[in-house]
Amino acid sequence: MKILVAGASGVIGRVLVPMLTTRGHDVIALSRHNPSDTRNQESRVRYMMADVFDRSNLLSIFERECPAAVIHLLTDLKEQNSAANARIRDIGTRNLVDAAKAVAVNKMVAQSIAWAYEGGEGAATELTALDYAASLPRKTTIDGVVSLEGAVKEMPKHTILRLGTLYGPGTWYERHGAVAQTVYDGKMIATGAITSFLHVVDAATAFVQALVWPDGPVNIVDDDPASALVWLPEYARELGAPAPLRNEEPVLKTRAVSNQKARDLGWTPAHPSWRGGFLS
Ligand SMILES: NC(=O)c1ccc[n+]([C@@H]2O[C@H](COP(=O)([O-])OP(=O)(O)OC[C@H]3O[C@@H](n4cnc5c(N)ncnc54)[C@H](OP(=O)(O)O)[C@@H]3O)[C@@H](O)[C@H]2O)c1
């Protein structure tokens, strides 16, 4: 199948593209910059530079290439700016969906997040409401997610992967990543906030499998949601960083997330827990 991967040079895309070609797919790898390392480039991948905010250029690429499916991995977090990320979720997704619909692309698989659910007891499933009532600054993120998911649902076939917090190569959690630096500096405080993690390789595997999954959202998280009071000291130990300060006050609005639906669809994480493996 010919698949256009938007955001192919990012943390998931770099792992996903070779997985797709190994399975016999042809990939149009789209981002604004040429990859710095094309040693592994092979004939099944064609790199294309385009800015998703340039609608007419995007449309001409779709008209020329006519992909059968689109994988949407666009994020704008390089500067850790949630407003920029909400903008690409909103306007970038709008442009991508319009271009895909214009040439009758059948299927889109898109990246969303697993931490947009409303607060409450028990693990959130895909039937749990998103946190529509969130106030700023969280509202910026929720609005971006709602806009992205709404646009992707306009595609004839659409699967939305609500990913957990990514760790592994290239992420903020690797040894020299942005989160690691905050922990080395002793600036990250362990609270009761719950995180559902996801290794970047397991994220990529889910995108491959989701090409044939039914419509709708699917949570892609590991089996081991944990409070920062538990995972952060372990992460600091792995890094060789100082033990973090603790704040044991209860934290609202964070909850565990269930991966039961993904498991029922046949996805099994190779990294079922973050324990001892943050730097893997
Ligand atoms: N679920 C999660 O926890 C999660 C999800 C995503 C990212 N992150 C974190 O965020 C860190 C870095 O963020 P990132 O935003 O660089 O994410 P990224 O997922 O590593 O990359 C985003 C992708 O989108 C492309 N892109 C961005 N703006 C574009 C535009 N206007 N037009 C076309 N393509 C565009 C980028 O390529 P170009 O820049 O070349 O255009 C890149 O291929 C990661 O290392 C990871 O730790 C976490």
Side-chain angles (χ1 to χ4, degrees):
M1 192 191 325
K2 190 187 219 183
I3 302 170
L4 186 145
V5 179
S9 60
V11 68
I12 298 171
R14 293 195 297 272
V15 182
L16 174 63
V17 169
M19 282 185 185
L20 292 171
T21 57
T22 301
R23 285 160 180 78
H25 297 296
D26 293 309
V27 175
I28 309 296
L30 188 136
S31 62
R32 287 168 304 178
H33 308 96
N34 262 328
S36 51
D37 181 357
T38 52
R39 276 175 301 178
N40 297 324
Q41 183 171 349
E42 33 112 348
S43 57
R44 284 193 179 279
V45 186
R46 275 185 303 128
Y47 292 91
M48 257 172 223
M49 283 180 288
D51 189 325
V52 74
F53 295 113
D54 182 345
R55 275 178 70 89
S56 60
N57 185 35
L58 195 65
L59 181 58
S60 55
I61 288 174
F62 272 77
E63 284 170 345
R64 213 170 45 239
E65 298 297 340
C66 290
V70 172
I71 295 180
H72 171 4
L73 300 174
L74 297 165
T75 61
D76 189 351
L77 284 167
K78 277 202 176 64
E79 310 299 327
Q80 302 192 28
N81 179 341
S82 57
N85 205 30
R87 179 170 177 260
I88 203 167
R89 283 183 174 134
D90 181 20
I91 301 168
T93 305
R94 179 75 270 151
N95 293 348
L96 197 64
V97 168
D98 287 351
K101 282 165 51 179
V103 299
V105 172
N106 189 37
K107 170 99 187 191
M108 185 175 286
V109 183
Q111 171 181 197
S112 185
I113 54 172
W115 60 91
Y117 290 111
E118 66 182 9
E121 294 300 315
T125 73
E126 293 78 358
L127 298 175
T128 304
L130 299 183
D131 191 11
Y132 298 107
S135 46
L136 288 169
R138 177 167 162 81
K139 177 175 165 43
T140 304
T141 297
I142 304 297
D143 288 351
V145 165
V146 170
S147 178
L148 178 150
E149 295 196 356
V152 173
K153 281 182 200 152
E154 296 172 18
M155 295 294 298
K157 292 188 177 173
H158 48 85
T159 306
I160 292 159
L161 302 186
R162 293 178 174 163
L163 306 186
T165 297
L166 288 176
Y167 69 97
T171 69
W172 289 337
Y173 286 78
E174 70 174 1
R175 182 168 293 286
H176 300 293
V179 172
Q181 194 54 55
T182 315
V183 176
Y184 286 126
D185 294 345
K187 289 185 179 154
M188 195 156 175
I189 296 172
T191 68
I194 294 169
T195 298
S196 292
F197 283 102
L198 175 67
H199 193 279
V200 73
V201 168
D202 289 324
T205 307
F207 279 94
V208 174
Q209 297 183 8
L211 288 165
V212 295
W213 284 356
D215 294 347
V218 185
N219 297 330
I220 304 294
V221 295
D222 76 8
D223 296 338
D224 196 10
S227 135
L229 291 167
V230 176
W231 69 259
L232 184 50
E234 289 208 27
Y235 177 47
R237 252 194 310 277
E238 259 193 74
L239 287 170
L245 297 173
R246 299 169 70 85
N247 178 350
E248 319 248 352
E249 294 292 310
V251 179
L252 300 174
K253 294 266 185 193
T254 70
R255 65 196 296 178
V257 175
S258 163
N259 64 13
Q260 190 58 53
K261 182 174 176 184
R263 284 188 164 276
D264 291 346
L265 288 164
W267 176 80
T268 307
H271 301 260
S273 171
W274 46 270
R275 287 173 206 267
F278 271 118
L279 302 180
S280 61

